[in-house]
Amino acid sequence: MKENKFISIYEQLVDKIKRGDWRPNTKLPSENELVEQYQTSRETIRKALNLLSQNGYIQKMKGKGSFVLDVSRFDFPVSGLVSFKEVAEKLGHTSTTIVKEFELVKADQDLCTQLGVTKKDLIWKVVRAREIDGEKIILDKDFFHKKYVPHLTKDICKGSIYEYLEKDLGLKISFAKKEISVDELTEEDKCYLDLKDYEHIVVVRNYVYLEDASLFQYTESRHRLDKFRFVDFARRGI
């Protein structure tokens, strides 16, 4: 029984979070306070807190304590190709797109690597902050090969680029390779997003291909880590 005490404490803390006793971004009582409250050892409390962190209920901040995460995070599909506009409409939340940068640039070495182009090639660079319920929580950095997207405007970027590409340009967007990582914040992230005290960000890198397997788009979609959970559906083949 003693061995499972941290599980019992973990479950009680989860209940408090789910009931709303501790709202998102609320600081949890200190380890000492929890030791006193539950009449147990510091090691047991640390095990319970580690389990809360592993399961996405709290975020530990060095020197500051543990803070409750929003357990009603937005589901963001890992598989499938969907635009932000489509995701936002499905979520049913108020959303706004803010175009921070829009320009036609020559490919630098990084873009040559990511898009498989040469330094002579022209690339549309679009940087957009995505605001949901009044908070800027996604930074999308899109790069489109001009060979496949000859014309683009800032107004189009404020709406849905995919809608324009498919309906107006008639492009057949087929599949994407995705990479997900947790990276340290950049100065760009700090400038364009509402980040609170977080020091890391979830980055989804997309390499998007047309029906003929031409790589035409590279995207870095940078998400505030407390606002999203990345979901997928898998079926085991027999």
Side-chain angles (χ1 to χ4, degrees):
M1 182 68 70
K2 185 178 178 183
E3 203 172 298
N4 294 327
K5 188 168 185 180
F6 81 95
I7 297 290
S8 174
I9 294 172
Y10 160 78
E11 290 173 346
Q12 291 177 60
L13 295 175
V14 167
D15 284 342
K16 287 187 175 183
I17 292 172
K18 287 185 173 179
R19 286 200 311 264
D21 294 355
W22 291 320
R23 298 184 63 78
N25 303 313
T26 299
K27 184 179 178 181
L28 260 62
S30 68
E31 287 185 5
N32 287 337
E33 290 172 320
L34 291 172
V35 164
E36 186 69 26
Q37 181 180 340
Y38 289 98
Q39 292 295 295
T40 190
S41 68
R42 184 183 294 272
E43 182 184 359
T44 298
I45 291 299
R46 283 181 177 168
K47 284 183 178 180
L49 292 177
N50 285 337
L51 198 53
L52 283 173
S53 178
Q54 291 169 19
N55 290 332
Y57 288 103
I58 64 170
Q59 169 74 17
K60 291 185 174 182
M61 295 188 182
K62 193 173 181 180
K64 295 182 179 180
S66 299
F67 292 81
V68 177
L69 294 175
D70 187 350
V71 293
S72 59
R73 296 183 183 189
F74 303 123
D75 284 356
F76 201 95
V78 174
S79 60
L81 271 170
V82 292
S83 68
F84 170 78
K85 182 180 178 182
E86 291 166 337
V87 171
E89 287 175 351
K90 186 176 180 180
L91 291 172
H93 289 256
T94 303
S95 63
T96 305
T97 292
I98 306 158
V99 180
K100 296 292 187 179
E101 297 179 39
F102 171 71
E103 58 182 327
L104 191 60
V105 300
K106 282 190 175 180
D108 59 14
Q109 187 56 53
D110 183 55
L111 283 178
C112 287
T113 302
Q114 303 295 358
L115 273 171
V117 297
T118 71
K119 291 187 176 181
K120 294 180 180 179
D121 287 312
L122 293 175
I123 308 296
W124 292 108
K125 177 183 179 182
V126 185
V127 179
R128 295 174 291 178
R130 311 295 202 167
E131 186 177 279
I132 298 179
D133 294 341
E135 286 189 293
K136 293 185 284 294
I137 56 178
I138 304 175
L139 183 65
D140 280 337
K141 300 170 64 177
D142 292 292
F143 302 91
F144 299 93
H145 196 328
K146 190 175 184 292
K147 173 182 176 181
Y148 303 102
V149 187
H151 179 70
L152 197 60
T153 68
K154 192 172 182 178
D155 282 341
I156 292 170
C157 297
K158 288 178 182 176
S160 171
I161 295 179
Y162 269 28
E163 189 174 299
Y164 165 72
L165 296 180
E166 293 177 319
K167 292 185 178 179
D168 291 55
L169 295 187
L171 293 182
K172 303 293 185 182
I173 301 170
S174 181
F175 65 95
K177 181 181 78 172
K178 298 191 179 189
E179 299 173 359
I180 301 177
S181 62
V182 178
D183 296 357
E184 291 185 358
L185 296 177
T186 65
E187 290 304 315
E188 191 176 40
D189 295 326
K190 296 174 185 177
C191 179
Y192 291 151
L193 296 177
D194 299 322
L195 292 168
K196 300 187 181 293
D197 292 323
Y198 296 107
E199 298 176 355
H200 293 82
I201 198 160
V202 179
V203 182
V204 181
R205 294 177 174 86
N206 284 285
Y207 301 83
V208 189
Y209 297 79
L210 298 175
E211 197 173 43
D212 64 358
S214 298
L215 174 60
F216 85 104
Q217 176 193 2
Y218 167 67
T219 297
E220 280 188 21
S221 193
R222 308 175 70 84
H223 301 72
R224 204 173 86 184
L225 58 81
D226 65 317
K227 285 294 185 181
F228 295 90
R229 60 184 178 187
F230 295 85
V231 297
D232 196 4
F233 173 79
R235 186 187 300 277
R236 184 170 181 265
I238 297 176

